[in-house]
Amino acid sequence: MALSRRTFSALTGCAALGFAMGGSGGPGAPSAFAARSVPTGPPPAPPRADGRRHTIGYDPYSLLVDGRRLVVWSGEMHPFRLPSPSLWRDVLQKMRAHGFNTVSVYVSWNYHSPAPGAFDFSGVRDLDLFLRMAAETGLYVILRPGPYINAEVDGGGFPGWLTATKGTARTADPTYLGHVDAWLTQVDRIVRRHLYTQGRGTVLLYQLENEYDSHVTEATGRAYMSHLYKKVRADGIDVPLFHNDKGRNGYWVPGSFDTGGEEGGYLYGFDGYPSPSQNPPDWGKFGPGGPKGGATASPNTPGFVPEFGGGWFDPWGGAWFDGKGYPEARRTRDSAYERRFYLTNLANGLTLHNVYMAFGGTSWGWLPAPVVYTSYDYGAAIDEARNVTAKMAPMHQLGHLFQRVPDFARLDRAADVTVPGLKVYHLANPDTGAQVYVTRNDGTKPVTAELPTSAGKLRITVPARDARMLATGLRLGRRTMKYSTAQPVLCVTAGKRDVAVFAGRRGDLAELVLECPQEPNVTRLDPEAGWAYEGGELHVGAPLGEAGLSRVLVTGGGTETPLVLLFADDATSMRIFPYDTPSGTLVVYGPTLLRHAEVHGSEVRLTGDLDDDPVIEVWGPRGIDTLVWNGRRVPTRVTLSGSLMTTGTLPGVPEVRLPELTGWRKRTENPEAGPNFDDSRWRRADRTTSYSTTPVPKGGPVLFADDYGFHYGDVWYRGTYGGGTGIESVRLSYSSGTQGLLMAWLDGEPLGTHRLPVPDATTTIRKGTWEATATFPVRPELRSPGRHVLSVLVRRMQHDQDGKGDDTHKAARGLTSVSFTGAAPEVSWRLQGERAVDPVRGPLNNGGLYGEREGWHLPGFPDRDDREWEPVTFPREERRQGVTWYRTTFRLSVPGDVDASVGLRLEDDPYRAYRAQIFLNGWNMGQYINNVGPQHTFVLPNGILRTRGANTLALAVLSEFTTLSGPGKVSLTLLGAAAGGLPVTPVPSPGH
């Protein structure tokens, strides 16, 4: 039923705006790296390892893949922050489904190299497996192997052993370059098997260095960059290379260092993390220009942001987010933030755009840099528990738009448009005539105004601190759309019909006008939509979000190809998935996630996830009549729009029950504090020189843990001396990362605990190395003649990053010097840290606690056969200085067709000063500091967590004696669940 013209106008209240989608075809493929005039045309097909040669070039607008323009819409994830390879595929499939065509990954040197010349790319470190998964998922890869990555990881990715080597990092120092070459040889050996140019994988771009803003004007800096370039090329990496400039300095643009005569194989990129309290900056077409202007520093290469804020990291204590943690990061950098900032980037010509992070994950073990705690959720669109959050909507919409509407790959700045209260960017495609308008409201109140466009004035409302993107002159398949007040998401041909999707905020009224020389037949498939035809124009209107998806079918009107118009609010748009198959393109609506689709004759086979009881609808090749969902055939009917729709809802998620954690057993440790402990096998502290940036105290010895091969976790010291009479106090100087801690005993008696302060929001929040001196009085009864043993435990946290290229990762960790007042005894020192590297869990899993060295964290340890392990219940209230271990086991029985994400929750009186290392099946899943926070929930990734079987949980609790200590309440919590998921292969958890 058509609405009257008067009724329709009252519903919309909008003037005319032109809008259409599509473009002309592109030319053949140019030679590698060539820049040539490439008109707007279809984008390249989704990438895969197809065995064919491909070219990757560029011009100032975009990358050119096989001669076709590619807008890179990338998201960052780090395989090392998800130590369960089965879940890599889960995250990659979620990224692809929600609009990303590329995944960007760091490769962390410290994660793969436990010692000089030793490299491990097996198990959770299998880079080859990850790259295969990316290709199988249909994602390009931006590879970023360092050697320095920053990334808020220990040492910025430098291995711990590098701290104790000669040579200055991030320079042309030959010793350092020798280590770098050994690392890159191993990485590149894997990467060259996955180059898209060779058809063996989907590696599209390769980063040489990261945020290298030191030695820029010095010969050593230029020689370093040149060395990296030539090394990577010599290793057979033939895709374009780039550097990620920190802060848009114009550093390391093409031509700034020697590339061995090669031209055109290098891109300039820069990163940016603007605050949500700022107005979005112009780093391109609308910016001030020049070397500090962003993309204008390299006008002959396309605008490239290898990192743009998809969230932000949170420090110990949570000062940046008022102690509220990553939910607050996600709230402040929400969908509106993304629309304002990402659309501004689009307007400025940034067609290579990487969101950091798309999935943050977990800095498990001793992986995190000093500036962060265990969780690296980042406020990302996919949270740490792998749930897709509401802030994914703009990325979903823009990603599919860039892949399906080629006009956005080539836009020039057009005539300025001024609207009171709004910032307007006007761009035009020189080939198709399509015009784009980004309207941004930087104020605190909504703005309603008339926007002048090439198709007339359009009355729009832009909410406060938000943005909208509109366009004119695009094609909708075989038709031209005159205007739409909703943002286009995609337009594809599915079988014998075109399908176009538009989205906006819930409650908005979408108005769309098609140019129709003849009156078309219009079928309103949902009652919310309305339409009217007059003067060669079809007006269609639909309120967004009131009843899910609004569908309108248009036939005739000058073309034989039907057009299906789909109108959605943000939440609904995230349930619309295009998928290309050899039989044609599908558009699937309804599931929470579409993982994979195939067409076999008349049968459509879909796999994916459900979190409610949806109806599923599919537009696809003609003749399809059967739908199979996750291996089960479901009843369907054919709709008036030609889609295949289930006749009923599909079952959602069954209840997931988690057990209470009981059966705890306890054992105290730190026998190292006792005077009679046998430390004869410990390393003797006998060095007098060090490569550390921390000065060695006059007269020595060197006490720095790294110099003795102990690079991660806790380290113990035992100093033996005679003649204790006269000693009044002991001064223990130590150096650590954020929240380091020192405990001391003399002859087994506690002297006290010293803990470094919580970072503040301004001066110390980024501080990577903290130095302090703890002074403890020596009681008279401990001043007797004879032998005495001073025992010190240092939780040194992690190594500083080397962001400024001045070897800050080499700052000492552990004790730095010891002195006494009242006497000056000669002390003989021994120290002990982590034992041999865990061959499965890697070098970052374990530290030097007694229980770790004895395997108390491992599954299968016989705690119930050992009389020293006593049964206990939680909550606990104890007062002691030292380490106490708690162990229990539990079983899960999650249904096999349910993907459940489970976390461990710790809660206690916030004034109690203690911390706990969390071990699940022997894997160190992170550190909890009760009186600092803000993290209380720790994700337990499936694969390490046995969701259908037995699990061992161990807590190593460090109590400071100054307060009562727990643990308090310790429980499992369900963080998310979906019907579907992927099969998860258990990650090996070798036991005692």
Side-chain angles (χ1 to χ4, degrees):
M1 174 180 177
L3 299 177
S4 70
R5 178 68 175 174
R6 178 176 298 176
T7 304
F8 182 78
S9 298
L11 278 173
T12 61
C14 296
L17 172 70
F19 214 138
M21 295 184 174
S24 58
S31 60
F33 310 136
R36 56 181 292 184
S37 178
V38 177
T40 300
R48 59 191 180 93
D50 56 11
R52 300 177 181 177
R53 297 276 181 154
H54 298 275
T55 61
I56 306 170
Y58 61 83
D59 67 8
Y61 292 104
S62 71
L63 283 189
L64 305 173
V65 174
D66 295 334
R68 296 185 175 188
R69 294 199 175 278
L70 174 71
V71 176
V72 172
W73 190 246
S74 172
E76 186 90 11
M77 76 163 290
H78 300 151
F80 54 81
R81 283 189 160 114
L82 188 57
S84 178
S86 297
L87 300 185
W88 298 345
R89 191 183 299 274
D90 173 71
V91 174
L92 290 171
Q93 288 184 348
K94 286 172 178 171
M95 291 176 62
R96 185 211 59 78
H98 288 294
F100 293 102
N101 60 7
T102 306
V103 59
S104 173
V105 292
Y106 276 135
V107 188
S108 196
W109 190 356
N110 60 8
Y111 194 63
H112 297 274
S113 181
F119 300 96
D120 185 355
F121 287 89
S122 65
V124 299
R125 294 168 293 281
D126 193 340
L127 176 62
D128 187 86
L129 174 61
F130 180 85
L131 295 177
R132 292 202 309 272
M133 285 184 178
E136 291 162 2
T137 308
L139 292 171
Y140 293 107
V141 176
I142 298 174
L143 196 85
R144 308 207 288 160
Y148 178 78
I149 64 172
N150 189 284
E152 287 76 57
V153 296
D154 182 277
F158 285 154
W161 54 261
L162 194 69
T163 64
T165 61
K166 182 182 179 182
T168 303
R170 308 184 79 184
T171 70
D173 182 284
T175 301
Y176 168 70
L177 290 182
H179 295 307
V180 166
D181 285 354
W183 162 243
L184 292 179
T185 295
Q186 297 298 317
V187 174
D188 294 345
R189 175 181 57 83
I190 297 170
V191 174
R192 67 172 172 257
R193 297 200 297 263
H194 298 272
L195 298 172
Y196 190 58
T197 46
Q198 306 299 317
R200 304 178 66 187
T202 57
V203 173
L204 181 75
L205 302 171
Y206 182 112
Q207 180 174 299
L208 290 178
E209 241 276 7
N210 188 63
E211 299 180 333
Y212 184 46
D213 59 357
S214 302
H215 314 296
V216 177
T217 61
E218 303 169 26
T220 190
R222 294 191 296 273
Y224 174 47
M225 290 294 290
S226 179
H227 179 93
L228 294 177
Y229 193 101
K230 295 172 182 177
K231 165 62 179 171
V232 170
R233 284 290 188 241
D235 283 347
I237 307 302
D238 61 0
V239 299
L241 310 179
F242 70 96
H243 168 262
N244 175 35
D245 188 9
K246 181 180 181 180
R248 298 153 309 283
N249 299 299
Y251 296 159
W252 310 119
V253 296
S256 59
F257 60 90
D258 178 22
T259 58
E262 180 180 85
E263 295 182 2
Y266 177 76
L267 299 172
Y268 172 70
F270 59 92
D271 61 21
Y273 293 88
S275 165
S277 63
Q278 299 174 326
N279 292 336
D282 292 323
W283 290 334
K285 288 182 169 68
F286 291 83
K292 304 292 184 182
T296 56
S298 180
N300 295 322
T301 61
F304 185 10
V305 276
E307 297 178 27
F308 194 85
W312 191 243
F313 62 83
D314 198 25
W316 283 108
W320 267 329
F321 299 113
D322 299 324
K324 299 176 183 178
Y326 285 114
E328 183 69 3
R330 192 169 285 108
R331 186 191 69 81
T332 56
R333 291 166 172 82
D334 60 1
S335 296
Y337 168 91
E338 292 170 337
R339 283 189 290 269
R340 289 175 68 220
F341 286 80
Y342 299 172
L343 287 173
T344 299
N345 285 350
L346 166 67
N348 277 276
L350 304 180
T351 59
L352 287 82
H353 194 286
N354 180 49
V355 176
Y356 189 105
M357 302 287 296
F359 168 76
T362 306
S363 298
W364 60 281
W366 295 106
L367 185 64
V371 292
V372 292
Y373 48 88
T374 297
S375 175
Y376 201 67
D377 177 283
Y378 216 79
I382 305 174
D383 71 17
E384 188 180 3
R386 296 178 292 111
N387 299 302
V388 177
T389 68
K391 69 177 286 182
M392 181 64 84
M395 299 185 219
H396 178 101
Q397 295 161 9
L398 290 172
H400 288 305
L401 178 69
F402 296 153
Q403 293 184 59
R404 304 290 174 171
V405 184
D407 301 71
F408 289 86
R410 191 182 188 198
L411 292 173
D412 290 323
R413 184 173 179 174
D416 290 345
V417 174
T418 302
V419 177
L422 297 177
K423 172 75 172 180
V424 181
Y425 299 90
H426 179 203
L427 303 113
N429 185 295
D431 303 318
T432 66
Q435 300 191 44
V436 176
Y437 302 84
V438 172
T439 61
R440 199 180 76 215
N441 180 0
D442 295 326
T444 58
K445 296 180 180 180
V447 172
T448 299
E450 288 191 340
L451 174 69
T453 74
S454 62
K457 292 184 178 180
L458 175 70
R459 189 168 181 82
I460 61 171
T461 297
V462 183
R465 312 288 289 177
D466 207 333
R468 296 179 64 174
M469 189 270 286
L470 307 167
T472 64
L474 299 173
R475 292 283 299 170
L476 282 186
R478 281 77 169 175
R479 305 170 189 269
T480 299
M481 186 180 68
K482 186 173 182 182
Y483 75 83
S484 170
T485 62
Q487 178 178 307
V489 176
L490 59 89
C491 185
V492 300
T493 299
K496 60 181 180 180
R497 67 195 61 80
D498 296 322
V499 180
V501 179
F502 299 85
R505 312 297 80 75
R506 183 178 178 85
D508 285 357
L509 186 63
E511 181 189 2
L512 179 149
V513 176
L514 286 176
E515 295 179 0
C516 296
Q518 305 169 19
E519 183 170 0
N521 297 313
V522 182
T523 305
R524 181 174 53 186
L525 303 174
D526 294 283
E528 298 80 17
W531 62 271
Y533 179 76
E534 184 177 334
E537 295 179 353
L538 174 66
H539 292 248
V540 180
L544 300 181
E546 289 188 6
L549 190 65
S550 294
R551 309 160 180 84
V552 175
L553 173 64
V554 181
T555 59
T559 178
E560 296 181 356
T561 303
L563 171 65
V564 180
L565 299 171
L566 306 178
F567 299 95
D569 67 348
D570 290 333
T572 304
S573 74
M574 290 171 62
R575 290 175 174 263
I576 301 174
F577 306 99
Y579 201 102
D580 296 313
T581 77
S583 300
T585 299
L586 305 176
V587 176
V588 179
Y589 166 64
T592 308
L593 176 70
L594 177 66
R595 295 184 181 275
H596 185 68
E598 296 178 0
V599 178
H600 293 266
S602 63
E603 186 174 83
V604 178
R605 300 175 187 174
L606 308 177
T607 59
D609 293 0
L610 307 175
D611 64 3
D612 54 10
D613 305 326
V615 169
I616 293 181
E617 187 171 8
V618 181
W619 290 268
R622 64 181 67 191
I624 59 173
D625 59 15
T626 304
L627 180 61
V628 177
W629 174 257
N630 286 348
R632 298 179 182 178
R633 183 173 295 185
V634 295
T636 58
R637 63 182 177 88
V638 178
T639 73
L640 292 175
S641 70
S643 66
L644 196 62
M645 179 185 288
T646 56
T647 56
T649 60
L650 274 64
V653 190
E655 181 182 6
V656 176
R657 296 182 179 180
L658 301 178
E660 293 186 6
L661 296 176
T662 59
W664 290 96
R665 299 179 74 84
K666 172 193 107 169
R667 181 175 175 180
T668 58
E669 63 142 91
N670 49 276
E672 300 96 333
N676 298 319
F677 179 81
D678 182 8
D679 60 16
S680 59
R681 295 185 179 181
W682 287 19
R683 289 291 307 272
R684 186 183 299 276
D686 53 6
R687 296 180 180 272
T688 58
T689 61
S690 172
Y691 293 119
S692 172
T693 56
T694 302
V696 177
K698 186 177 181 180
V702 174
L703 295 174
F704 314 154
D706 287 297
D707 285 73
Y708 299 95
F710 306 125
H711 304 302
Y712 305 111
D714 300 290
V715 62
W716 273 96
Y717 296 84
R718 283 172 57 86
T720 304
Y721 64 90
T725 58
I727 294 178
E728 298 173 356
S729 66
V730 58
R731 292 168 51 86
L732 302 172
S733 297
Y734 70 111
S735 177
S736 83
T738 309
Q739 282 301 288
L741 174 146
L742 176 148
M743 294 178 173
W745 294 258
L746 185 57
D747 297 337
E749 296 296 319
L751 293 180
T753 297
H754 186 279
R755 177 169 51 87
L756 292 168
V758 179
D760 61 43
T762 54
T763 59
T764 60
I765 204 160
R766 289 180 176 271
K767 186 176 180 179
T769 292
W770 298 66
E771 297 172 336
T773 297
T775 301
F776 299 116
V778 176
R779 298 189 299 275
E781 58 268 29
L782 298 176
R783 303 177 186 174
S784 62
R787 177 179 177 271
H788 295 273
V789 177
L790 176 61
S791 300
V792 182
L793 172 63
V794 180
R795 173 148 292 182
R796 59 212 171 125
M797 305 302 278
Q798 290 85 18
H799 302 90
D800 194 4
Q801 300 178 105
D802 191 27
K804 288 297 181 182
D806 51 9
D807 267 357
T808 49
H809 67 290
K810 290 186 176 181
R813 291 296 183 261
L815 282 179
T816 54
S817 68
V818 180
S819 62
F820 301 84
T821 60
E826 292 188 7
V827 185
S828 174
W829 286 99
R830 291 181 181 270
L831 69 161
Q832 176 66 54
E834 70 272 24
R835 282 190 173 172
V837 172
D838 187 311
V840 172
R841 301 174 181 95
L844 295 156
N845 194 71
N846 293 108
L849 293 179
Y850 182 85
E852 291 178 284
R853 304 197 308 267
E854 294 297 313
W856 294 3
H857 62 298
L858 296 173
F861 183 84
D863 55 67
R864 299 186 182 274
D865 300 330
D866 190 330
R867 295 182 179 179
E868 295 190 57
W869 289 85
E870 59 178 288
V872 294
T873 58
F874 290 163
R876 302 290 299 169
E877 292 186 352
E878 295 188 351
R879 187 185 297 273
R880 72 182 296 265
Q881 175 179 293
V883 186
T884 305
W885 283 75
Y886 301 89
R887 285 174 54 94
T888 191
T889 58
F890 63 92
R891 295 189 67 88
L892 295 180
S893 55
V894 177
D897 58 352
V898 171
D899 179 9
S901 183
V902 178
L904 184 73
R905 178 80 180 169
L906 293 89
E907 301 171 89
D908 207 342
D909 182 333
Y911 295 101
R912 292 182 176 173
Y914 70 91
R915 56 186 69 190
Q917 285 297 121
I918 300 166
F919 292 91
L920 175 67
N921 296 325
W923 291 81
N924 181 350
M925 295 315 304
Q927 181 175 190
Y928 168 74
I929 305 184
N930 179 70
N931 58 325
V932 175
Q935 185 173 7
H936 289 268
T937 300
F938 294 77
V939 174
L940 307 177
N942 298 345
I944 289 177
L945 179 71
R946 307 296 192 251
T947 57
R948 297 179 63 82
N951 297 274
T952 299
L953 182 63
L955 304 176
V957 176
L958 272 68
S959 305
E960 300 182 18
F961 191 74
T962 54
T963 68
L964 291 172
S965 69
K969 182 181 179 181
V970 181
S971 59
L972 298 175
T973 181
L974 185 64
L975 302 176
L982 292 170
V984 176
T985 301
V987 179
S989 294
H992 183 65

